[in-house]
Amino acid sequence: MNKLIKYLSASIALLTVSACSPAPETEQSLNGLLYCAEGNPESFNPQLVTSGTTLDMTAAQLYDRLIEFDADNQQFTAALATSWEISNDGLSYRFQLRDDVQFHSTDWFQPSRVMNAADVVFSFERWLNSEHPYHHVSGRGYPFFSASGLTQLIQSVRAIDEYLVEIRIYKQDSSFLANLASDFAIILSAEYGQQLLTNNQAELIDTQPIGTGPFQFSQFRKDVLVRYLRHPNYWREIAASEQLVFRIAQSDHKRMLMLLTQDCDISPYPPAKDIQWLRDKPDINLQDTISPNTAFWAFNTDRPPFDDPLVRQALAHAVNRNAILNTVYFDHAVRADSILPNTSWAHHGTPSAYRYDPEKARELLREAGYPNGFSMQIWALPVQRAYNPNARLMAERIQADLSAVGVQAGIVSYEWSTFRRRLADGEHDSVLIGWSADHADPDNFFRPLLSCAAKQSGNNRAQWCDPMFDELLSAAISSNDPEVRKAYYRQAQEHLALEVPLLPIAHSVRFQAARDNIIGLELEPFGGIQLRKVSRQKPANEEQ
Amino acid sequence: MRIYLLRQLALLIITLFLLTIFAFCLSYWFPGNPITNSSGIFSDDTVRFAEAAAARGYDANIFVQYWHYLGHLFRGDWGISLLDADPVFEQLQLRFGATLEIAVLAMLIALVPGIALGVLAALNFRKPIDHTILSMSLSGYSIPVFWFAQIAILLVAVRWEMLPIAGQINPLFNIEPITGSILLDIFISQPDNMSLALRSAVRHITLPVLVLSVMPMMLLIRLTRSSMLDVLDKNYITSAYAKGLSTRSVIWSHAIPNAMQNVIRELGSLLSLLITNTMIIEVIFSWPGIGSWLIRSIYERDYPVIQGGLLLIAALILCVHVALNLFHAWRYPQVRKDLNASS
């Protein structure tokens, strides 16, 4: 008997020891990158989405744009287009394209030609032209383009010759180039589109994507991972890592632990309360950037009682935002007094409109006819974003503040893709969400969020449509003079302070943590993350 | 024995049949449209919705509908998820393999030390060894599995940096999921760096399996101990000693085999506990099994997934129970005799 036990315990001990011995160098030297993402991608085509999670995972990895924005030098730089000309009246833009750009070659598609003007026209027409064979494929609409007004702005996109594209617009728009440089305006393959149409598999264009980017799609397992492989014929320097794997882990705490146990190399949005602790870890490299973003609490102005500006003002006064900065952001954020971040040149804060004043809130509620309050729902976004590390906690704080003025709030949350779908359908009373800048133009915080066009495209979380506000915005973008634009944006922000379709809460610092052997990683203030230059440093003691 | 076999099989079939009726009725009992609830196709997709309604016989009476439901069930068409339109059956196949992998391994790991320690405790009845083992099993049993998992993660993975905490394998190994069980998949796909991949998989599976095995192990200790004590009290043990058999041969050939009779009977109920714990462990260790998927489906009210999951888990537990009953009856003749006598 004793012998048996000895055998057994010995074998178990052996198994444990062999399993627990540290990873061999070879596993560490697999040429790949593990990025812990905070949710599933909704699609593999950034044209269809506005969620930062999906943009991070697709835009800069699978695709390229015509032009890009260089945040350091505050100027547009060449990408797929080598140069561009603007006509004197400002209504026609001509883009000269590169002639050496290869599309991905995969099991399901082998390109026969390099990228040319036909691909650009195809990609733009897809969201522009409702007659286009792909316009209704995937059936999600094109929220960024319709909300930012590009679909109304562009008159035509045509190929002048094989590598020259002309885009004509109806009226001058100072944010046009910035929108083209955003993560959404990516270039798809027309040839792939044609192949899928012939095979009657059009919807595959967004689930088995083909682009020109540094990585090509390989595998997607929902809730587990997204796998990309290096694009060997990339037109810039090829990606530094052979493989890029996005592991999906919704919990920020879990992602942080996975970073510590080397289950991931890069982890975005670490929990705010652990920032200091992570900073002190020698083998973790913590980066931060002032990324222009705003967390806000949007009221569904289509639903009573939120259709009454008095109620919205009351709710705005009921919330103690300074306390939220402390408990939710651990002071890694500043209080927002406008939807437009304080780093923007057009920022105009109106602190008095959103002041914490429960007395005033009660008074306003009485005036609006709700002396005993009412009950409502707060939808808290289920993932961590740069602008909001913990929406659930924020919702709980707001819930407590509201009950002090007699408003009973319930907190609602769904899985991320369900959450977005229901939001777009306008099923919410109010929602805690936010916006990160796609480009440096202030227009990016107004038209995509609060215009009537944004309401139609399902991106206006307040379901708010005010013709006067829209007029201010169009006046602002039709000028190129910063002073004139500034004046219009000031009026727009003052208008928002009166109407309060949403309560701006915070502009937050964006954090990203990585293992210290990860090189080439930079945190850009605008748009999604770039991973093509990032790789894992080879272990120093590797024999070879 | 043959009669008993037939009876057990009949019982299994009838229960499975009742189960399918229950699952079928669920699509009516859940709020919303029964066609959507069973097929996962929303009514705004008019063409496919009409197809699904026709295929499932929703224009005819409820018996015809049930018949069509059974047809779909056996064809492996379990509808699609309301959330992401993935076919439920395929997903279940893929994820169930992963769940079974850790559940079975944990059970195997629990069996050996569980039974050994139980026997040891019984042989040293009321001696210090017995007390130590007993108090260990009591405390081990009362620690909830999620807490134990967190402690294990903090100590083994974060503090000592010995083991990874998420997933089945380092995802840089490109292993095509076929069975869902990572160890089997590695053998099937035969990657170039197979030994390295296996090593990575073993490192990933260790922590969840060990944590998962604690609870069944502790239960087994207690079961074995009490059953062993019962047996040691029996006359045939005394007579075996009286015949001059050595302690070793009394224990090995008389006491332990007879003590196992009770233990085996209880294994079935252990399994249902184990499956529940597996789901919790899957969520904690990001193990891509059915657990996290079912839990999400419950609070997102993804009815086709709930139905499929319910059916699968209930059927699994049922089949194991029946199989254990049969094994029990086959292995221990006196059980058969009792059963026959009572009928």
Side-chain angles (χ1 to χ4, degrees):
Chain A
M1 185 69 227
N2 287 336
K3 218 178 203 170
L4 177 81
I5 293 169
K6 253 186 224 157
Y7 268 127
L8 288 174
S9 45
S11 58
I12 287 174
L14 204 71
L15 201 93
T16 328
V17 167
S18 70
C20 292
S21 54
E25 296 301 321
T26 32
E27 190 176 322
Q28 269 299 306
S29 63
L30 287 171
N31 189 350
L33 202 61
L34 298 172
Y35 179 99
C36 278
E38 66 279 14
N40 285 302
E42 300 154 85
S43 162
F44 286 95
N45 183 350
Q47 294 177 329
L48 301 167
V49 303
T50 55
S51 109
T53 312
T54 309
L55 283 180
D56 279 350
M57 288 162 93
T58 57
Q61 327 315 336
L62 295 173
Y63 302 100
D64 285 300
R65 296 153 271 166
L66 290 178
I67 53 172
E68 287 171 2
F69 183 70
D70 179 355
D72 294 336
N73 303 318
Q74 294 287 317
Q75 63 181 16
F76 297 106
T77 56
L80 293 182
T82 50
S83 62
W84 56 97
E85 279 170 30
I86 307 171
S87 66
N88 289 337
D89 58 2
L91 295 181
S92 159
Y93 290 70
R94 283 187 174 206
F95 294 90
Q96 183 68 45
L97 305 178
R98 297 183 71 97
D99 58 4
D100 59 349
V101 177
Q102 294 280 352
F103 280 103
H104 303 150
S105 176
T106 61
D107 294 345
W108 58 91
F109 173 69
Q110 292 82 34
S112 67
R113 58 170 177 81
V114 294
M115 184 218 58
N116 63 26
D119 297 307
V120 178
V121 173
F122 174 83
S123 312
F124 278 71
E125 289 274 312
R126 174 165 182 196
W127 47 266
L128 205 53
N129 175 2
S130 55
E131 313 272 289
H132 190 268
Y134 277 96
H135 187 76
H136 296 288
V137 170
S138 296
R140 295 161 179 270
Y142 303 89
F144 178 79
F145 298 113
S146 39
S148 62
L150 278 185
T151 44
Q152 267 89 50
L153 179 71
I154 298 181
Q155 186 183 8
S156 67
V157 179
R158 64 192 182 98
I160 307 274
D161 66 38
E162 207 181 349
Y163 297 107
L164 187 64
V165 179
E166 183 191 60
I167 303 180
R168 295 195 63 83
I169 57 179
Y170 284 113
K171 54 176 194 265
Q172 282 202 13
D173 185 322
S174 44
S175 67
F176 179 63
L177 278 181
N179 281 328
L180 286 194
S182 70
D183 281 338
F184 307 96
I186 49 98
I187 302 304
L188 304 164
S189 163
E191 193 188 358
Y192 182 48
Q194 196 51 51
Q195 176 190 314
L196 289 179
L197 274 189
T198 340
N199 299 345
N200 215 1
Q201 298 174 307
E203 66 287 346
L204 287 187
I205 198 167
D206 300 321
T207 53
Q208 281 196 348
I210 291 289
T212 59
F215 292 96
Q216 56 192 46
F217 179 82
S218 163
Q219 184 193 13
F220 172 41
R221 263 181 99 182
K222 180 145 185 165
D223 298 331
V224 182
L225 58 84
V226 177
R227 185 192 308 281
Y228 296 153
L229 303 177
R230 174 153 75 193
H231 177 197
N233 304 315
Y234 189 47
W235 56 277
R236 284 189 264 219
E237 194 185 344
I238 61 166
S241 296
E242 257 170 40
Q243 236 193 102
L244 170 61
V245 174
F246 291 88
R247 308 188 76 166
I248 294 156
Q250 285 215 357
S251 143
D252 55 349
H253 182 71
K254 180 73 185 277
R255 279 201 307 278
M256 189 189 67
L257 290 183
M258 285 168 75
L259 187 70
L260 294 176
T261 57
Q262 305 185 22
D263 279 295
C264 36
D265 297 321
I266 306 170
S267 166
Y269 318 120
K273 63 173 184 296
D274 297 324
I275 293 289
Q276 196 50 49
W277 185 70
L278 275 178
R279 198 166 264 155
D280 296 339
K281 288 251 158 203
D283 49 357
I284 301 291
N285 179 6
L286 190 75
Q287 295 177 314
D288 56 68
T289 175
I290 305 287
S291 88
N293 61 47
T294 309
F296 53 79
W297 183 29
F299 308 109
N300 186 344
T301 55
D302 270 352
R303 291 191 169 204
F306 311 103
D307 52 349
D308 183 349
L310 283 179
V311 172
R312 305 198 295 259
Q313 286 170 8
L315 294 176
H317 284 301
V319 176
N320 184 352
R321 292 177 302 152
N322 287 337
I324 288 179
L325 288 184
N326 190 275
T327 49
V328 178
Y329 293 92
F330 291 81
D331 295 321
H332 300 300
V334 293
R335 199 183 66 212
D337 289 318
S338 160
I339 179 78
L340 193 62
N342 49 355
T343 48
S344 170
W345 49 266
H347 171 81
H348 171 70
T350 44
S352 62
Y354 311 115
R355 188 184 67 242
Y356 174 53
D357 188 346
E359 261 318 304
K360 176 125 193 237
R362 261 187 235 110
E363 199 180 296
L364 284 167
L365 280 178
R366 259 198 303 280
E367 210 177 308
Y370 297 96
N372 301 319
F374 50 86
S375 63
M376 64 179 292
Q377 285 182 341
I378 303 173
W379 286 34
L381 91 156
V383 296
Q384 303 81 35
R385 304 298 314 156
Y387 48 77
N388 194 337
N390 192 342
R392 177 93 206 174
L393 179 62
M394 190 186 280
E396 283 165 10
R397 302 295 309 197
I398 293 180
Q399 186 181 38
D401 284 343
L402 290 183
S403 75
V405 299
V407 175
Q408 303 308 317
I411 300 174
V412 176
S413 199
Y414 298 99
E415 189 264 339
W416 188 216
S417 43
T418 319
F419 189 79
R420 295 188 64 87
R421 197 186 66 227
R422 296 195 174 193
L423 264 189
D425 292 345
E427 292 179 26
H428 56 293
D429 281 348
S430 72
V431 59
L432 283 172
I433 197 162
W435 188 255
S436 295
D438 304 299
H439 53 70
D441 199 280
D443 180 60
N444 189 241
F445 276 87
F446 294 108
R447 274 198 297 173
L449 288 180
L450 287 166
S451 63
C452 296
K455 181 176 177 181
Q456 273 163 18
S457 72
N459 202 42
N460 186 334
R461 305 299 176 211
Q463 306 284 340
W464 187 65
C465 172
D466 186 331
M468 189 185 135
F469 183 72
D470 269 27
E471 266 169 40
L472 285 172
L473 296 186
S474 6
I477 46 164
S478 50
S479 163
N480 266 327
D481 179 357
E483 282 311 312
V484 177
R485 296 189 69 193
K486 207 167 172 174
Y488 282 121
Y489 283 129
R490 187 191 163 112
Q491 282 183 46
Q493 287 168 77
E494 276 165 358
H495 190 59
L496 286 183
L498 275 180
E499 288 284 325
V500 202
L502 47 78
L503 169 68
I505 295 173
H507 310 300
S508 154
V509 179
R510 175 175 177 175
F511 288 98
Q512 174 169 287
R515 305 275 323 170
D516 60 348
N517 60 347
I518 297 301
I519 46 178
L521 183 64
E522 280 170 29
L523 194 54
E524 300 285 337
F526 297 104
I529 182 168
Q530 297 262 3
L531 292 170
R532 66 188 164 90
K533 292 180 189 158
V534 184
S535 67
R536 196 186 287 179
Q537 209 168 21
K538 290 266 186 293
N541 55 351
E542 194 184 31
E543 293 160 281
Q544 251 171 21
Chain B
M1 181 68 197
R2 195 180 301 142
I3 297 172
Y4 183 66
L5 180 77
L6 287 177
R7 248 201 302 171
Q8 285 289 319
L9 288 182
L11 185 74
L12 177 70
I13 288 167
I14 290 171
T15 326
L16 282 179
F17 170 72
L18 290 176
L19 195 67
T20 58
I21 291 188
F22 179 67
F24 169 72
C25 293
L26 275 182
S27 53
Y28 275 95
W29 293 339
F30 286 142
N33 186 315
I35 305 175
T36 305
N37 287 347
S38 56
S39 67
I41 296 166
F42 286 104
S43 52
D44 50 2
D45 187 353
T46 36
V47 181
R48 290 178 58 214
F49 187 75
E51 275 171 23
R56 286 169 187 267
Y58 273 91
D59 41 1
N61 65 40
I62 195 125
F63 298 105
V64 178
Q65 290 175 26
Y66 175 68
W67 182 247
H68 281 288
Y69 168 79
L70 278 188
H72 279 87
L73 208 59
F74 285 114
R75 276 203 304 278
D77 177 2
W78 292 24
I80 56 174
S81 158
L82 291 178
L83 285 180
D84 44 32
D86 284 333
V88 173
F89 188 72
E90 275 174 32
Q91 286 290 319
L92 277 178
Q93 256 182 329
L94 208 57
R95 292 171 185 263
F96 194 55
T99 300
L100 270 189
E101 181 173 41
I102 47 172
V104 167
L105 281 178
M107 196 63 174
L108 289 181
I109 289 199
L111 271 180
V112 181
I115 290 175
L117 288 175
V119 171
L120 191 68
L123 292 180
N124 295 288
F125 184 52
R126 295 215 173 137
K127 286 188 197 146
I129 297 185
D130 182 29
H131 289 304
T132 320
I133 293 178
L134 209 57
S135 55
M136 181 186 85
S137 87
L138 188 67
S139 45
Y141 176 58
S142 40
I143 295 175
V145 65
F146 56 85
W147 189 85
F148 195 66
Q150 293 298 350
I151 293 298
I153 285 179
L154 277 182
L155 279 183
V156 180
V158 177
R159 176 67 62 81
W160 301 331
E161 296 187 8
M162 293 203 308
L163 289 174
I165 55 166
Q168 292 182 302
I169 191 169
N170 184 334
L172 293 178
F173 294 101
N174 194 348
I175 307 289
E176 188 64 31
I178 298 163
T179 59
S181 148
I182 189 67
L183 296 174
L184 289 181
D185 281 344
I186 291 178
F187 284 112
I188 292 173
S189 61
Q190 296 281 340
D192 304 332
N193 40 11
M194 181 148 148
S195 64
L196 209 59
L198 266 181
R199 198 187 169 99
S200 173
V202 169
R203 279 166 44 80
H204 278 79
I205 210 170
T206 307
L207 214 48
V209 164
L210 283 185
V211 171
L212 197 55
S213 66
V214 169
M215 165 112 113
M217 193 189 300
M218 298 308 153
L219 270 175
L220 273 171
I221 292 178
R222 299 166 66 75
L223 271 173
T224 316
R225 178 179 172 276
S226 65
S227 153
M228 191 73 183
L229 286 177
D230 274 353
V231 170
L232 288 177
D233 254 3
K234 289 273 160 57
N235 287 337
Y236 56 78
I237 297 291
T238 323
S239 83
Y241 277 121
K243 277 192 279 181
L245 291 181
S246 69
T247 310
R248 170 186 282 197
S249 83
V250 170
I251 301 294
W252 275 110
S253 20
H254 296 275
I256 291 185
N258 282 298
M260 284 307 102
Q261 182 182 336
N262 277 326
V263 175
I264 288 171
R265 199 167 48 206
E266 296 301 328
L267 280 185
S269 31
L270 252 180
L271 181 84
S272 5
L273 257 177
L274 188 67
I275 291 284
T276 318
N277 275 352
T278 310
M279 298 200 178
I280 299 172
I281 286 293
E282 280 175 4
V283 175
I284 295 176
F285 287 95
S286 313
W287 196 260
I290 49 172
S292 41
W293 195 52
L294 276 183
I295 290 173
R296 194 190 68 189
S297 76
I298 288 167
Y299 61 85
E300 304 279 339
R301 288 182 247 162
D302 190 346
Y303 299 123
V305 176
I306 299 181
Q307 266 178 336
L310 167 100
L311 211 59
L312 187 72
I313 291 178
L316 170 81
I317 292 179
L318 257 173
C319 289
V320 171
H321 262 277
V322 168
L324 279 176
N325 274 346
L326 288 176
F327 174 79
H328 200 224
W330 166 77
R331 178 74 184 73
Y332 301 103
Q334 72 268 42
V335 178
R336 266 187 336 254
K337 211 185 284 167
D338 290 353
L339 287 168
N340 288 332
S342 66
S343 61

